[in-house]
Amino acid sequence: MTTRTLSHLRELESEAIHIIREAVSELERPVLLFSGGKDSVVMLHLAVKAFWPAPVPFPVMHVDTGHNFGEVIAYRDATVERLGLRLVVASVQDYIDDGRLLERADGTRNPLQTQPLLDAIAEHRFDVVFGGGRRDEEKARAKERVVSLRDEFGQWDPRNQRPELWALYNPRHRPGEHVRVFPLSNWTELDVWRYIEAEDIELPNLYYAHDREVFARDGMWLAVGDVTEPREGETVETRRVRYRTVGDMSCTGAVESDAATIADVIAEVAVTRITERGATRADDRLTEAAMEDRKKEGYF
Amino acid sequence: MTTLTNDTTVAAGAAEQPAASGLAGATGTLLRLATAGSVDDGKSTLVGRLLYDSKAVLADQLDAVERVSRAKGLGHVDLALLTDGLRAEREQGITIDVAYRYFATGNRTFILADCPGHVQYTRNTVTGSSTADVLVLLVDIRKGVLEQTRRHLAVGQLLRVPTIIVAVNKIDLVDYDEATYERVAAEIAGVAADLGVPNLVTLPTSALVGDNIVDRSERMGWYDGPSLLELLEAAPAASEITELPFRFPVQLALRPQDAAPEFRDYRGYAGQVATGVVAVGDEVVVLPAGRRTRVSGIDTHDGPLDEAFAPQSVTIRLADEIDITRGDLIAAAADAPEPTQDLDGMVAWLAERGLRVGQKVLVKHGTRTVQGIVRDIHGRLDLDTLTPQATETLELNDIGRIRLRLAAPIAADDYTRSRRTGSFLLIDPQSGGTLAAGMVRGETSFSDAATIEPDQTLTWVI
Ligand SMILES: Nc1nc2c(ncn2[C@@H]2O[C@H](COP(=O)(O)OP(=O)(O)OP(=O)(O)O)[C@@H](O)[C@H]2O)c(=O)[nH]1
Ligand SMILES: [Mg+2]
């Protein structure tokens, strides 16, 4: 007899496709958050699979901090073009320019993304917002439902989440509320990379080892760029690095690495002793509950 | 690999060893595990210990947990902090909502759902247990079986979690005494027998010290059974879902008018195979309408398939043009459920406001949502006697049996036969909130005429 068992990677894929189809079928106005980072790239790949041969039936949105890696924006635009998608950009820079948001003293713009995100959701009346968040990323994310309710202020109430039973997702909500949907909830960083290998998915090349001018700050390697100038006492050097996550340049660090191919990265991730956010995100180190606090306010 | 943080963050123990069994495996089949048991019985500590002793805790996570433990003035590292990640949980030292953690051994990948013990958060424990292949029920050996222990065992049985393992925990606090263990194990076995739980496995553990979690303990010469991890590695996965008859709830019809020209006339039905196997050429019936046809194609983005099996997500094409929409069920023609508008089911009531006869609800079954009205409440489970008791209402955390009249038929299976196609939700039509987890009872659910015993003689078992 043939054994009919899915590998755990294919089971995760099937689960994610099921989640995406459910949310789109139950509600009216979905949007997918697309930054060009590996998780959002995998999520979009799954959306393509979920509706094939029909095109992806919703737009994508990028909350643009204005502190971007050029190659990531180029990748974003090429992908949107290739798939014939509509791109909505919510620009943090616009908010800073007209005074609705104030630049922070530390220069970090990640926490500033929440307001433009919520405004864009309200303006376009999006009722389903697909996010690439994974429960293995961070301890507050470990608590998140697959389909997670946000009140009319965009807030998450982690103490009072809706029960989520079997694979019977319930995205119903009152007018003004919306749901965040996380198809990659049960994926780990390693699952994402194994899937990228299995599906041969193209990523921005800064995920692979390259030589870059960097300087050390807060135990991370930051790239020298328009928004990340070394301060006094910080010396610039050329190092072979890659990025484990892609976010706002001012608070996303690189790790030293020789991993130039997908297989190299998988080997590296499989034996790493540091979580991806621990290694690369200054904003999560601010306080014990930095992520929880941001999420409660409506962050991704 | 070298990273800056690697040099600056050298945590004890786990950090020095490579993740040989931590993340490196990540192949093989998936096993979903949930914890249960009364407040403070050690669920989160046990999950933390399982992760720590199998080297699945990364250095920066351990570092953070050590820091918080020190700040709290603890003499040891509180491994419960690995899952109790919310601010309120850390302040109060309790679990409020389910935390999901992931780890792999050589041959298995695990999804761990660490659930709360407090009665106020039972809805979250039901959430974690509903998808579990294994429930690990903890009992504090000093306290024995408590009301929450009984409730959670009832939930595990009601939800038909395939394997239930009881960890009689904190054995270190009774000097690893065999007689005390035997007494508590017998007590829980008695409750399990009353609830009809088959083949319960029980073992003595100390989550705090690490006895019998990953490695077999050397402090209990009298116990020569496997450790918890050994039990988990051997537990059957939910592979038998492919042996049930074919069921395919249609999520949406794909008729891409704006696709590439060769697909302009395409018409397929997208969904996830809930149970069973389907092959091209198979005869199927579309429910609730009852039209028969054959499968003419099974498509995926990666190309066509000859057959599909649970839990694959695919798109099915049919030989005949039939009007099919979301909410319809494509089932094996030879073994299909009978559509019904009368539903007899068990429910776990999860909402603050109680359920009354005459109340209107939405019923979500598979991909179909229909209106329903509560006709009868056929008793609630009394947790002291573990027998049904007559009642006018179902209140928060009650387990009860109800009958619903539906505005349109659904095609459901007996939950005890199929978790995937026998489960349903009750939803509040106004707020959209989820009110209850429901399980179809097979024996009487498909008949309008099914008799209901008078209240004095409630005889059902969950
Ligand atoms: N001596 C001893 N203490 C333990 C053991 N397991 C847990 N504890 C302690 O019991 C207390 C409660 O542990 P938790 O793991 O938070 O309990 P829990 O079951 O997760 O609690 P809730 O999630 O709030 O229901 C903590 O102080 C633990 O250190 C054990 O095996 N032996
Ligand atoms: Mg706990």
Side-chain angles (χ1 to χ4, degrees):
Chain A
M1 209 189 87
T2 47
T3 52
R4 297 188 177 99
T5 318
L6 283 187
S7 72
H8 101 274
L9 209 54
R10 291 296 163 198
E11 189 166 341
L12 290 174
E13 176 190 55
S14 177
E15 178 182 77
I17 290 174
H18 176 252
I19 291 164
I20 293 169
R21 287 169 171 173
E22 275 305 280
V24 167
S25 306
E26 290 250 338
L27 297 178
E28 310 282 321
R29 299 176 69 85
V31 68
L32 182 145
L33 296 174
F34 184 67
S35 64
K38 67 182 187 314
D39 301 314
S40 69
V41 169
V42 165
M43 181 167 62
L44 182 57
H45 182 86
L46 290 161
V48 169
K49 286 193 156 194
F51 300 101
W52 182 92
V56 174
F58 44 75
V60 298
M61 170 152 69
H62 182 211
V63 183
D64 181 348
T65 63
H67 289 174
N68 297 296
F69 295 95
E71 53 263 65
V72 177
I73 294 295
Y75 175 92
R76 176 197 79 183
D77 292 342
T79 303
V80 165
E81 168 92 26
R82 175 171 60 85
L83 296 172
L85 299 170
R86 185 161 72 84
L87 172 69
V88 176
V89 177
S91 162
V92 174
Q93 189 66 54
D94 288 353
Y95 278 69
I96 291 172
D97 289 347
D98 65 19
R100 278 176 291 170
L101 284 175
L102 280 182
E103 194 87 80
R104 292 161 52 103
D106 62 6
T108 294
R109 287 187 174 179
N110 260 8
L112 301 184
Q113 288 171 285
T114 302
Q115 196 54 47
L117 169 68
L118 294 179
D119 287 349
I121 291 170
E123 183 197 337
H124 295 271
R125 292 184 292 117
F126 292 129
D127 55 2
V128 176
V129 180
F130 289 109
R134 309 186 327 262
R135 287 167 174 163
D136 91 317
E137 278 179 77
E138 206 282 333
K139 59 188 184 305
R141 289 218 158 131
K143 297 274 165 180
E144 182 77 84
R145 298 281 190 262
V146 171
V147 174
S148 184
L149 194 64
R150 294 291 182 275
D151 69 12
E152 72 248 68
F153 298 100
Q155 299 181 108
W156 180 52
D157 183 0
R159 304 193 56 172
N160 197 18
Q161 297 194 83
R162 188 177 271 182
E164 190 160 84
L165 304 153
W166 300 287
L168 292 173
Y169 303 105
N170 174 16
R172 282 167 190 267
H173 55 265
R174 294 193 181 87
E177 299 175 336
H178 70 275
V179 292
R180 302 283 173 89
V181 177
F182 302 101
L184 305 184
S185 284
N186 289 323
W187 298 49
T188 64
E189 183 186 14
L190 195 53
D191 294 329
V192 168
W193 277 104
R194 289 215 163 105
Y195 190 71
I196 287 165
E197 179 180 53
E199 299 283 303
D200 200 15
I201 298 172
E202 195 194 323
L203 290 181
N205 47 26
L206 48 65
Y207 277 108
Y208 303 103
H210 56 283
D211 292 327
R212 192 179 277 265
E213 293 209 310
V214 291
F215 58 92
R217 180 183 296 168
D218 302 335
M220 300 188 311
W221 292 114
L222 291 188
V224 180
D226 303 342
V227 297
T228 44
E229 289 292 324
R231 298 179 193 137
E232 233 184 88
E234 293 173 338
T235 42
V236 174
E237 46 195 308
T238 301
R239 296 245 163 192
R240 196 148 183 80
V241 297
R242 69 175 203 90
Y243 285 84
R244 278 176 80 182
T245 66
V246 165
D248 185 80
M249 268 183 95
S250 62
C251 64
T252 305
V255 296
E256 274 191 274
S257 171
D258 285 320
T261 65
I262 300 178
D264 293 344
V265 172
I266 289 172
E268 184 186 281
V269 171
V271 297
T272 183
R273 302 307 301 154
I274 310 273
T275 64
E276 65 179 38
R277 296 196 85 89
T280 64
R281 288 300 179 93
D283 50 334
D284 287 343
R285 300 182 185 168
L286 294 176
T287 66
E288 255 306 291
M291 174 64 95
E292 179 181 343
D293 293 343
R294 286 207 308 277
K295 278 179 65 64
K296 280 179 180 163
E297 290 165 9
Y299 187 76
F300 311 116
Chain B
M1 184 195 73
T2 50
T3 65
L4 262 186
T5 31
N6 236 348
D7 303 329
T8 54
T9 320
V10 179
E16 280 146 26
Q17 298 168 44
S21 58
L23 291 171
T27 48
T29 54
L30 201 56
L31 191 87
R32 295 173 198 249
L33 171 152
T35 60
S38 197
V39 186
D40 277 353
D41 283 357
K43 297 174 290 297
S44 301
T45 307
L46 177 133
V47 166
R49 173 59 68 182
L50 203 51
L51 293 167
Y52 181 81
D53 283 359
S54 51
K55 315 285 183 291
V57 181
L58 299 189
D60 56 323
Q61 295 171 324
L62 190 62
D63 205 42
V65 165
E66 282 173 348
R67 212 168 44 235
V68 176
S69 300
R70 263 197 309 276
K72 285 180 136 187
L74 295 173
H76 62 276
V77 177
D78 183 359
L79 293 174
L81 294 170
L82 286 168
T83 56
D84 287 339
L86 297 176
R87 190 196 295 277
E89 292 178 326
R90 289 171 171 229
E91 280 167 9
Q92 297 168 47
I94 59 161
T95 305
I96 292 173
D97 209 333
V98 189
Y100 294 90
R101 294 291 308 244
Y102 306 81
F103 84 110
T105 61
N107 54 21
R108 267 235 155 120
T109 304
F110 295 91
I111 300 180
L112 309 180
D114 180 34
C115 300
H118 200 287
V119 64
Q120 190 186 341
Y121 306 118
T122 302
R123 64 177 190 280
N124 300 334
T125 302
V126 176
T127 291
S129 307
S130 68
T131 52
D133 303 308
V134 176
L135 192 69
V136 178
L137 179 72
L138 279 85
V139 184
D140 182 333
I141 192 162
R142 299 167 304 168
K143 298 183 187 154
V145 173
L146 301 174
E147 169 162 312
Q148 278 302 86
T149 324
R150 301 162 85 87
R151 177 175 280 116
H152 286 173
L153 191 54
V155 164
Q157 168 65 2
L158 182 70
L159 293 169
R160 292 300 187 275
V161 180
T163 304
I164 299 182
I165 298 172
V166 177
V168 179
N169 192 38
K170 307 198 184 183
I171 186 102
D172 56 300
L173 295 180
V174 298
D175 290 331
Y176 300 93
D177 180 46
E178 179 179 11
T180 315
Y181 169 73
E182 292 299 343
R183 201 180 62 241
V184 174
E187 193 187 1
I188 191 85
V191 178
D194 287 346
L195 286 166
V197 178
N199 15 311
L200 196 76
V201 181
T202 306
L203 81 165
T205 62
S206 169
L208 190 72
V209 180
D211 294 294
N212 286 336
I213 306 296
V214 167
D215 302 312
R216 294 187 186 199
S217 172
E218 279 156 18
R219 298 185 187 86
M220 286 169 271
W222 49 267
Y223 176 80
D224 58 3
S227 70
L228 178 63
L229 184 63
E230 289 174 74
L231 287 170
L232 296 176
E233 291 201 287
S239 59
E240 69 277 12
I241 55 169
T242 57
E243 273 136 48
L244 293 166
F246 171 66
R247 302 282 185 265
F248 186 83
V250 174
Q251 289 189 279
L252 72 158
L254 289 175
R255 309 183 63 177
Q257 258 96 53
D258 43 1
E262 67 265 35
F263 294 115
R264 291 274 151 80
D265 296 323
Y266 188 91
R267 183 197 279 219
Y269 305 99
Q272 185 177 33
V273 182
T275 57
V277 183
V278 69
V280 174
D282 280 2
E283 199 177 346
V284 292
V285 58
V286 180
L287 298 171
R291 286 283 308 271
R292 282 177 174 244
T293 180
R294 274 179 310 98
V295 172
S296 58
I298 303 171
D299 294 330
T300 71
H301 180 260
D302 302 319
L305 301 174
D306 295 330
E307 66 160 41
F309 57 89
Q312 281 180 310
S313 284
V314 296
T315 299
I316 287 178
R317 280 179 290 117
L318 298 173
D320 300 289
E321 289 225 347
I322 304 178
D323 179 28
I324 299 179
T325 57
R326 173 174 170 82
D328 288 344
L329 180 81
I330 303 177
D335 189 352
E338 195 69 44
T340 181
Q341 283 179 253
D342 289 280
L343 197 64
D344 171 11
M346 301 299 301
V347 291
W349 191 256
L350 306 174
E352 293 289 342
R353 265 196 315 145
L355 176 80
R356 279 166 184 72
V357 172
Q359 192 169 325
K360 287 196 173 133
V361 292
L362 293 173
V363 179
K364 180 169 185 181
H365 170 260
T367 55
R368 193 175 183 82
T369 303
V370 300
Q371 292 185 61
I373 185 161
V374 180
R375 259 201 190 168
D376 297 293
I377 298 176
H378 195 39
R380 63 182 280 280
L381 183 74
D382 179 64
L383 281 176
D384 291 325
T385 61
L386 300 175
T387 54
Q389 182 189 58
T391 183
E392 301 275 293
T393 64
L394 289 182
E395 303 295 338
L396 179 66
N397 302 330
D398 274 347
I399 291 170
R401 184 177 177 185
I402 63 171
R403 275 169 67 94
L404 291 161
R405 175 70 185 172
L406 306 180
I410 63 166
D413 290 293
D414 175 357
Y415 181 82
T416 61
R417 189 162 165 238
S418 168
R419 286 171 98 187
R420 197 73 197 256
T421 55
S423 50
F424 61 90
L425 300 184
L426 297 185
I427 294 171
D428 184 335
Q430 253 122 53
S431 72
T434 301
L435 300 171
M439 287 129 285
V440 175
R441 284 182 79 98
E443 70 267 40
T444 52
S445 62
F446 305 125
S447 159
D448 269 340
T451 52
I452 289 195
E453 311 100 87
D455 281 344
Q456 305 82 290
T457 59
L458 293 173
T459 54
W460 48 259
V461 287
I462 62 173

